[in-house]
PDB file of all heavy atoms in Angstrom:
ATOM      1  N   PHE A  88     -22.466 -17.017  17.611  1.00  0.00           N
ATOM      2  CA  PHE A  88     -22.149 -18.168  16.767  1.00  0.00           C
ATOM      3  C   PHE A  88     -22.126 -17.755  15.295  1.00  0.00           C
ATOM      4  O   PHE A  88     -21.188 -18.076  14.561  1.00  0.00           O
ATOM      5  CB  PHE A  88     -23.173 -19.280  16.990  1.00  0.00           C
ATOM      6  CG  PHE A  88     -22.949 -20.486  16.114  1.00  0.00           C
ATOM      7  CD1 PHE A  88     -22.123 -21.505  16.529  1.00  0.00           C
ATOM      8  CD2 PHE A  88     -23.556 -20.578  14.863  1.00  0.00           C
ATOM      9  CE1 PHE A  88     -21.889 -22.615  15.715  1.00  0.00           C
ATOM     10  CE2 PHE A  88     -23.329 -21.668  14.049  1.00  0.00           C
ATOM     11  CZ  PHE A  88     -22.496 -22.693  14.475  1.00  0.00           C
ATOM     12  N   PHE A  89     -23.152 -17.033  14.848  1.00  0.00           N
ATOM     13  CA  PHE A  89     -23.218 -16.666  13.433  1.00  0.00           C
ATOM     14  C   PHE A  89     -22.214 -15.570  13.080  1.00  0.00           C
ATOM     15  O   PHE A  89     -21.737 -15.518  11.944  1.00  0.00           O
ATOM     16  CB  PHE A  89     -24.641 -16.256  13.050  1.00  0.00           C
ATOM     17  CG  PHE A  89     -25.474 -17.417  12.593  1.00  0.00           C
ATOM     18  CD1 PHE A  89     -26.336 -18.055  13.468  1.00  0.00           C
ATOM     19  CD2 PHE A  89     -25.377 -17.882  11.293  1.00  0.00           C
ATOM     20  CE1 PHE A  89     -27.096 -19.142  13.055  1.00  0.00           C
ATOM     21  CE2 PHE A  89     -26.132 -18.962  10.865  1.00  0.00           C
ATOM     22  CZ  PHE A  89     -26.990 -19.596  11.749  1.00  0.00           C
ATOM     23  N   THR A  90     -21.894 -14.710  14.030  1.00  0.00           N
ATOM     24  CA  THR A  90     -20.853 -13.715  13.764  1.00  0.00           C
ATOM     25  C   THR A  90     -19.540 -14.407  13.431  1.00  0.00           C
ATOM     26  O   THR A  90     -18.843 -14.043  12.474  1.00  0.00           O
ATOM     27  CB  THR A  90     -20.654 -12.802  14.987  1.00  0.00           C
ATOM     28  OG1 THR A  90     -21.851 -12.043  15.204  1.00  0.00           O
ATOM     29  CG2 THR A  90     -19.491 -11.844  14.775  1.00  0.00           C
ATOM     30  N   ASN A  91     -19.215 -15.444  14.184  1.00  0.00           N
ATOM     31  CA  ASN A  91     -18.001 -16.207  13.921  1.00  0.00           C
ATOM     32  C   ASN A  91     -18.124 -17.015  12.628  1.00  0.00           C
ATOM     33  O   ASN A  91     -17.191 -17.080  11.823  1.00  0.00           O
ATOM     34  CB  ASN A  91     -17.706 -17.149  15.088  1.00  0.00           C
ATOM     35  CG  ASN A  91     -16.518 -18.047  14.826  1.00  0.00           C
ATOM     36  OD1 ASN A  91     -15.386 -17.596  14.717  1.00  0.00           O
ATOM     37  ND2 ASN A  91     -16.775 -19.347  14.697  1.00  0.00           N
ATOM     38  N   LEU A  92     -19.286 -17.607  12.425  1.00  0.00           N
ATOM     39  CA  LEU A  92     -19.497 -18.459  11.247  1.00  0.00           C
ATOM     40  C   LEU A  92     -19.346 -17.680   9.944  1.00  0.00           C
ATOM     41  O   LEU A  92     -18.793 -18.193   8.964  1.00  0.00           O
ATOM     42  CB  LEU A  92     -20.889 -19.095  11.312  1.00  0.00           C
ATOM     43  CG  LEU A  92     -21.196 -20.199  10.310  1.00  0.00           C
ATOM     44  CD1 LEU A  92     -20.518 -21.495  10.746  1.00  0.00           C
ATOM     45  CD2 LEU A  92     -22.697 -20.414  10.173  1.00  0.00           C
ATOM     46  N   LEU A  93     -19.816 -16.447   9.933  1.00  0.00           N
ATOM     47  CA  LEU A  93     -19.876 -15.676   8.699  1.00  0.00           C
ATOM     48  C   LEU A  93     -18.697 -14.730   8.522  1.00  0.00           C
ATOM     49  O   LEU A  93     -18.676 -13.946   7.574  1.00  0.00           O
ATOM     50  CB  LEU A  93     -21.188 -14.882   8.648  1.00  0.00           C
ATOM     51  CG  LEU A  93     -22.469 -15.722   8.750  1.00  0.00           C
ATOM     52  CD1 LEU A  93     -23.692 -14.830   8.744  1.00  0.00           C
ATOM     53  CD2 LEU A  93     -22.546 -16.753   7.633  1.00  0.00           C
ATOM     54  N   THR A  94     -17.721 -14.797   9.420  1.00  0.00           N
ATOM     55  CA  THR A  94     -16.523 -13.975   9.300  1.00  0.00           C
ATOM     56  C   THR A  94     -15.512 -14.669   8.401  1.00  0.00           C
ATOM     57  O   THR A  94     -15.077 -15.789   8.695  1.00  0.00           O
ATOM     58  CB  THR A  94     -15.888 -13.717  10.682  1.00  0.00           C
ATOM     59  OG1 THR A  94     -16.836 -13.028  11.503  1.00  0.00           O
ATOM     60  CG2 THR A  94     -14.637 -12.864  10.543  1.00  0.00           C
ATOM     61  N   LYS A  95     -15.168 -14.036   7.319  1.00  0.00           N
ATOM     62  CA  LYS A  95     -14.239 -14.632   6.370  1.00  0.00           C
ATOM     63  C   LYS A  95     -12.825 -14.659   6.943  1.00  0.00           C
ATOM     64  O   LYS A  95     -12.368 -13.691   7.545  1.00  0.00           O
ATOM     65  CB  LYS A  95     -14.243 -13.852   5.057  1.00  0.00           C
ATOM     66  CG  LYS A  95     -13.462 -14.518   3.933  1.00  0.00           C
ATOM     67  CD  LYS A  95     -13.648 -13.797   2.621  1.00  0.00           C
ATOM     68  CE  LYS A  95     -12.925 -14.501   1.487  1.00  0.00           C
ATOM     69  NZ  LYS A  95     -13.133 -13.815   0.177  1.00  0.00           N
ATOM     70  N   GLN A  96     -12.161 -15.786   6.774  1.00  0.00           N
ATOM     71  CA  GLN A  96     -10.797 -15.934   7.256  1.00  0.00           C
ATOM     72  C   GLN A  96      -9.846 -16.131   6.081  1.00  0.00           C
ATOM     73  O   GLN A  96     -10.241 -16.577   5.005  1.00  0.00           O
ATOM     74  CB  GLN A  96     -10.698 -17.137   8.207  1.00  0.00           C
ATOM     75  CG  GLN A  96     -11.512 -16.959   9.486  1.00  0.00           C
ATOM     76  CD  GLN A  96     -11.438 -18.179  10.388  1.00  0.00           C
ATOM     77  OE1 GLN A  96     -11.327 -19.305   9.918  1.00  0.00           O
ATOM     78  NE2 GLN A  96     -11.484 -17.945  11.689  1.00  0.00           N
ATOM     79  N   ARG A  98      -7.500 -18.266   5.866  1.00  0.00           N
ATOM     80  CA  ARG A  98      -7.339 -19.709   5.640  1.00  0.00           C
ATOM     81  C   ARG A  98      -8.663 -20.401   5.911  1.00  0.00           C
ATOM     82  O   ARG A  98      -9.172 -20.372   7.030  1.00  0.00           O
ATOM     83  CB  ARG A  98      -6.241 -20.277   6.551  1.00  0.00           C
ATOM     84  CG  ARG A  98      -5.960 -21.758   6.350  1.00  0.00           C
ATOM     85  CD  ARG A  98      -4.735 -22.172   7.159  1.00  0.00           C
ATOM     86  NE  ARG A  98      -4.470 -23.594   7.032  1.00  0.00           N
ATOM     87  CZ  ARG A  98      -4.971 -24.514   7.849  1.00  0.00           C
ATOM     88  NH1 ARG A  98      -5.763 -24.158   8.845  1.00  0.00           N
ATOM     89  NH2 ARG A  98      -4.693 -25.795   7.679  1.00  0.00           N
ATOM     90  N   ASP A  99      -9.237 -20.987   4.872  1.00  0.00           N
ATOM     91  CA  ASP A  99     -10.551 -21.616   4.999  1.00  0.00           C
ATOM     92  C   ASP A  99     -10.414 -23.041   5.511  1.00  0.00           C
ATOM     93  O   ASP A  99      -9.961 -23.930   4.792  1.00  0.00           O
ATOM     94  CB  ASP A  99     -11.259 -21.614   3.640  1.00  0.00           C
ATOM     95  CG  ASP A  99     -12.656 -22.205   3.726  1.00  0.00           C
ATOM     96  OD1 ASP A  99     -13.267 -22.119   4.805  1.00  0.00           O
ATOM     97  OD2 ASP A  99     -13.130 -22.760   2.721  1.00  0.00           O
ATOM     98  N   SER A 100     -10.787 -23.261   6.742  1.00  0.00           N
ATOM     99  CA  SER A 100     -10.704 -24.601   7.312  1.00  0.00           C
ATOM    100  C   SER A 100     -11.799 -24.777   8.343  1.00  0.00           C
ATOM    101  O   SER A 100     -12.356 -23.803   8.852  1.00  0.00           O
ATOM    102  CB  SER A 100      -9.333 -24.841   7.970  1.00  0.00           C
ATOM    103  OG  SER A 100      -9.117 -23.909   9.017  1.00  0.00           O
ATOM    104  N   SER A 101     -12.107 -26.030   8.638  1.00  0.00           N
ATOM    105  CA  SER A 101     -13.124 -26.325   9.641  1.00  0.00           C
ATOM    106  C   SER A 101     -12.572 -26.028  11.026  1.00  0.00           C
ATOM    107  O   SER A 101     -11.452 -26.430  11.351  1.00  0.00           O
ATOM    108  CB  SER A 101     -13.537 -27.802   9.558  1.00  0.00           C
ATOM    109  OG  SER A 101     -14.066 -28.089   8.285  1.00  0.00           O
ATOM    110  N   PRO A 102     -13.336 -25.331  11.876  1.00  0.00           N
ATOM    111  CA  PRO A 102     -12.874 -25.036  13.227  1.00  0.00           C
ATOM    112  C   PRO A 102     -12.869 -26.282  14.088  1.00  0.00           C
ATOM    113  O   PRO A 102     -13.589 -27.244  13.827  1.00  0.00           O
ATOM    114  CB  PRO A 102     -13.894 -24.011  13.733  1.00  0.00           C
ATOM    115  CG  PRO A 102     -15.145 -24.330  12.964  1.00  0.00           C
ATOM    116  CD  PRO A 102     -14.677 -24.787  11.605  1.00  0.00           C
ATOM    117  N   ASN A 118     -19.510 -24.332  19.146  1.00  0.00           N
ATOM    118  CA  ASN A 118     -18.768 -23.416  18.285  1.00  0.00           C
ATOM    119  C   ASN A 118     -18.530 -23.938  16.866  1.00  0.00           C
ATOM    120  O   ASN A 118     -17.741 -23.364  16.125  1.00  0.00           O
ATOM    121  CB  ASN A 118     -17.423 -23.069  18.928  1.00  0.00           C
ATOM    122  CG  ASN A 118     -16.533 -24.291  19.110  1.00  0.00           C
ATOM    123  OD1 ASN A 118     -16.977 -25.421  18.954  1.00  0.00           O
ATOM    124  ND2 ASN A 118     -15.275 -24.068  19.442  1.00  0.00           N
ATOM    125  N   THR A 119     -19.196 -25.026  16.483  1.00  0.00           N
ATOM    126  CA  THR A 119     -19.087 -25.506  15.115  1.00  0.00           C
ATOM    127  C   THR A 119     -20.475 -25.815  14.563  1.00  0.00           C
ATOM    128  O   THR A 119     -21.408 -26.136  15.299  1.00  0.00           O
ATOM    129  CB  THR A 119     -18.227 -26.785  14.999  1.00  0.00           C
ATOM    130  OG1 THR A 119     -18.934 -27.880  15.619  1.00  0.00           O
ATOM    131  CG2 THR A 119     -16.867 -26.599  15.652  1.00  0.00           C
ATOM    132  N   LEU A 120     -20.596 -25.724  13.252  1.00  0.00           N
ATOM    133  CA  LEU A 120     -21.871 -25.996  12.599  1.00  0.00           C
ATOM    134  C   LEU A 120     -22.330 -27.422  12.858  1.00  0.00           C
ATOM    135  O   LEU A 120     -23.516 -27.674  13.101  1.00  0.00           O
ATOM    136  CB  LEU A 120     -21.733 -25.747  11.097  1.00  0.00           C
ATOM    137  CG  LEU A 120     -22.976 -26.004  10.244  1.00  0.00           C
ATOM    138  CD1 LEU A 120     -24.120 -25.086  10.660  1.00  0.00           C
ATOM    139  CD2 LEU A 120     -22.657 -25.815   8.764  1.00  0.00           C
ATOM    140  N   LYS A 121     -21.422 -28.371  12.793  1.00  0.00           N
ATOM    141  CA  LYS A 121     -21.784 -29.768  13.003  1.00  0.00           C
ATOM    142  C   LYS A 121     -22.389 -29.976  14.385  1.00  0.00           C
ATOM    143  O   LYS A 121     -23.420 -30.632  14.533  1.00  0.00           O
ATOM    144  CB  LYS A 121     -20.547 -30.660  12.835  1.00  0.00           C
ATOM    145  CG  LYS A 121     -20.849 -32.162  12.941  1.00  0.00           C
ATOM    146  CD  LYS A 121     -21.604 -32.669  11.737  1.00  0.00           C
ATOM    147  CE  LYS A 121     -21.710 -34.185  11.736  1.00  0.00           C
ATOM    148  NZ  LYS A 121     -22.362 -34.689  10.509  1.00  0.00           N
ATOM    149  N   LYS A 210     -14.004 -25.851  -4.373  1.00  0.00           N
ATOM    150  CA  LYS A 210     -13.982 -26.577  -3.103  1.00  0.00           C
ATOM    151  C   LYS A 210     -15.394 -26.816  -2.591  1.00  0.00           C
ATOM    152  O   LYS A 210     -15.729 -27.908  -2.109  1.00  0.00           O
ATOM    153  CB  LYS A 210     -13.171 -25.784  -2.074  1.00  0.00           C
ATOM    154  CG  LYS A 210     -13.055 -26.442  -0.713  1.00  0.00           C
ATOM    155  CD  LYS A 210     -12.198 -25.584   0.221  1.00  0.00           C
ATOM    156  CE  LYS A 210     -12.081 -26.238   1.598  1.00  0.00           C
ATOM    157  NZ  LYS A 210     -11.264 -25.397   2.524  1.00  0.00           N
ATOM    158  N   LYS A 214     -17.504 -30.439  -2.184  1.00  0.00           N
ATOM    159  CA  LYS A 214     -18.017 -30.869  -0.877  1.00  0.00           C
ATOM    160  C   LYS A 214     -19.508 -31.176  -0.930  1.00  0.00           C
ATOM    161  O   LYS A 214     -19.989 -32.080  -0.250  1.00  0.00           O
ATOM    162  CB  LYS A 214     -17.749 -29.787   0.168  1.00  0.00           C
ATOM    163  CG  LYS A 214     -18.044 -30.236   1.600  1.00  0.00           C
ATOM    164  CD  LYS A 214     -17.481 -29.261   2.617  1.00  0.00           C
ATOM    165  CE  LYS A 214     -17.678 -29.770   4.035  1.00  0.00           C
ATOM    166  NZ  LYS A 214     -17.039 -28.879   5.043  1.00  0.00           N
ATOM    167  N   VAL A 225     -25.606 -29.711   5.515  1.00  0.00           N
ATOM    168  CA  VAL A 225     -26.125 -28.635   6.358  1.00  0.00           C
ATOM    169  C   VAL A 225     -25.350 -27.370   6.012  1.00  0.00           C
ATOM    170  O   VAL A 225     -24.122 -27.366   6.006  1.00  0.00           O
ATOM    171  CB  VAL A 225     -25.973 -28.971   7.850  1.00  0.00           C
ATOM    172  CG1 VAL A 225     -26.520 -27.837   8.714  1.00  0.00           C
ATOM    173  CG2 VAL A 225     -26.686 -30.285   8.184  1.00  0.00           C
ATOM    174  N   ILE A 226     -26.081 -26.300   5.723  1.00  0.00           N
ATOM    175  CA  ILE A 226     -25.468 -25.031   5.353  1.00  0.00           C
ATOM    176  C   ILE A 226     -25.907 -23.965   6.348  1.00  0.00           C
ATOM    177  O   ILE A 226     -27.104 -23.754   6.565  1.00  0.00           O
ATOM    178  CB  ILE A 226     -25.870 -24.610   3.928  1.00  0.00           C
ATOM    179  CG1 ILE A 226     -25.438 -25.679   2.920  1.00  0.00           C
ATOM    180  CG2 ILE A 226     -25.256 -23.256   3.567  1.00  0.00           C
ATOM    181  CD1 ILE A 226     -25.904 -25.405   1.501  1.00  0.00           C
ATOM    182  N   GLY A 227     -24.939 -23.301   6.960  1.00  0.00           N
ATOM    183  CA  GLY A 227     -25.223 -22.209   7.872  1.00  0.00           C
ATOM    184  C   GLY A 227     -24.923 -20.890   7.178  1.00  0.00           C
ATOM    185  O   GLY A 227     -23.821 -20.692   6.681  1.00  0.00           O
ATOM    186  N   ALA A 228     -25.898 -19.980   7.150  1.00  0.00           N
ATOM    187  CA  ALA A 228     -25.699 -18.740   6.401  1.00  0.00           C
ATOM    188  C   ALA A 228     -26.735 -17.707   6.809  1.00  0.00           C
ATOM    189  O   ALA A 228     -27.697 -17.999   7.526  1.00  0.00           O
ATOM    190  CB  ALA A 228     -25.798 -19.011   4.895  1.00  0.00           C
ATOM    191  N   VAL A 244     -21.586 -18.086   0.528  1.00  0.00           N
ATOM    192  CA  VAL A 244     -20.655 -18.864   1.332  1.00  0.00           C
ATOM    193  C   VAL A 244     -19.282 -18.205   1.258  1.00  0.00           C
ATOM    194  O   VAL A 244     -18.736 -18.030   0.169  1.00  0.00           O
ATOM    195  CB  VAL A 244     -20.580 -20.327   0.836  1.00  0.00           C
ATOM    196  CG1 VAL A 244     -19.398 -21.048   1.477  1.00  0.00           C
ATOM    197  CG2 VAL A 244     -21.878 -21.058   1.159  1.00  0.00           C
ATOM    198  N   VAL A 245     -18.757 -17.826   2.414  1.00  0.00           N
ATOM    199  CA  VAL A 245     -17.420 -17.221   2.476  1.00  0.00           C
ATOM    200  C   VAL A 245     -16.401 -18.160   3.103  1.00  0.00           C
ATOM    201  O   VAL A 245     -15.203 -17.906   3.065  1.00  0.00           O
ATOM    202  CB  VAL A 245     -17.452 -15.886   3.256  1.00  0.00           C
ATOM    203  CG1 VAL A 245     -18.354 -14.885   2.562  1.00  0.00           C
ATOM    204  CG2 VAL A 245     -17.904 -16.103   4.701  1.00  0.00           C
ATOM    205  N   SER A 246     -16.904 -19.265   3.703  1.00  0.00           N
ATOM    206  CA  SER A 246     -16.013 -20.258   4.294  1.00  0.00           C
ATOM    207  C   SER A 246     -16.646 -21.632   4.175  1.00  0.00           C
ATOM    208  O   SER A 246     -17.611 -21.939   4.882  1.00  0.00           O
ATOM    209  CB  SER A 246     -15.736 -19.944   5.773  1.00  0.00           C
ATOM    210  OG  SER A 246     -15.046 -21.009   6.391  1.00  0.00           O
ATOM    211  N   VAL A 247     -16.124 -22.440   3.271  1.00  0.00           N
ATOM    212  CA  VAL A 247     -16.652 -23.795   3.091  1.00  0.00           C
ATOM    213  C   VAL A 247     -16.453 -24.606   4.367  1.00  0.00           C
ATOM    214  O   VAL A 247     -17.324 -25.356   4.802  1.00  0.00           O
ATOM    215  CB  VAL A 247     -15.962 -24.491   1.900  1.00  0.00           C
ATOM    216  CG1 VAL A 247     -16.476 -25.920   1.739  1.00  0.00           C
ATOM    217  CG2 VAL A 247     -16.199 -23.707   0.618  1.00  0.00           C
ATOM    218  N   GLY A 248     -15.293 -24.435   5.006  1.00  0.00           N
ATOM    219  CA  GLY A 248     -14.985 -25.203   6.204  1.00  0.00           C
ATOM    220  C   GLY A 248     -15.919 -24.920   7.356  1.00  0.00           C
ATOM    221  O   GLY A 248     -16.305 -25.829   8.092  1.00  0.00           O
ATOM    222  N   LYS A 249     -16.323 -23.650   7.514  1.00  0.00           N
ATOM    223  CA  LYS A 249     -17.175 -23.294   8.648  1.00  0.00           C
ATOM    224  C   LYS A 249     -18.660 -23.375   8.331  1.00  0.00           C
ATOM    225  O   LYS A 249     -19.465 -23.698   9.205  1.00  0.00           O
ATOM    226  CB  LYS A 249     -16.838 -21.877   9.128  1.00  0.00           C
ATOM    227  CG  LYS A 249     -15.493 -21.739   9.781  1.00  0.00           C
ATOM    228  CD  LYS A 249     -15.348 -20.432  10.540  1.00  0.00           C
ATOM    229  CE  LYS A 249     -15.494 -19.214   9.663  1.00  0.00           C
ATOM    230  NZ  LYS A 249     -15.306 -17.959  10.433  1.00  0.00           N
ATOM    231  N   GLN A 250     -19.054 -23.090   7.089  1.00  0.00           N
ATOM    232  CA  GLN A 250     -20.470 -22.935   6.774  1.00  0.00           C
ATOM    233  C   GLN A 250     -21.149 -24.186   6.235  1.00  0.00           C
ATOM    234  O   GLN A 250     -22.370 -24.211   6.089  1.00  0.00           O
ATOM    235  CB  GLN A 250     -20.660 -21.814   5.750  1.00  0.00           C
ATOM    236  CG  GLN A 250     -20.461 -20.420   6.327  1.00  0.00           C
ATOM    237  CD  GLN A 250     -20.766 -19.348   5.299  1.00  0.00           C
ATOM    238  OE1 GLN A 250     -19.863 -18.710   4.765  1.00  0.00           O
ATOM    239  NE2 GLN A 250     -22.042 -19.151   5.016  1.00  0.00           N
ATOM    240  N   ILE A 251     -20.395 -25.229   5.937  1.00  0.00           N
ATOM    241  CA  ILE A 251     -20.986 -26.439   5.360  1.00  0.00           C
ATOM    242  C   ILE A 251     -20.485 -27.665   6.107  1.00  0.00           C
ATOM    243  O   ILE A 251     -19.291 -27.796   6.379  1.00  0.00           O
ATOM    244  CB  ILE A 251     -20.630 -26.576   3.866  1.00  0.00           C
ATOM    245  CG1 ILE A 251     -21.187 -25.393   3.080  1.00  0.00           C
ATOM    246  CG2 ILE A 251     -21.160 -27.884   3.295  1.00  0.00           C
ATOM    247  CD1 ILE A 251     -20.755 -25.365   1.625  1.00  0.00           C
ATOM    248  N   CYS A 252     -21.401 -28.560   6.427  1.00  0.00           N
ATOM    249  CA  CYS A 252     -21.008 -29.851   6.998  1.00  0.00           C
ATOM    250  C   CYS A 252     -21.970 -30.910   6.513  1.00  0.00           C
ATOM    251  O   CYS A 252     -23.055 -30.607   6.003  1.00  0.00           O
ATOM    252  CB  CYS A 252     -20.985 -29.805   8.531  1.00  0.00           C
ATOM    253  SG  CYS A 252     -22.612 -29.714   9.316  1.00  0.00           S
TER     254      CYS A 252
END
Side-chain angles (χ1 to χ4, degrees):
F88 178 88
F89 271 97
T90 295
N91 175 66
L92 191 77
L93 302 178
T94 300
K95 189 173 183 178
Q96 295 178 328
R98 182 172 178 269
D99 182 28
S100 60
S101 300
N118 62 349
T119 69
L120 179 62
K121 184 71 171 184
K210 181 179 180 181
K214 189 167 185 176
V225 180
I226 301 175
V244 168
V245 298
S246 171
V247 178
K249 291 194 299 182
Q250 287 184 254
I251 298 174
C252 71

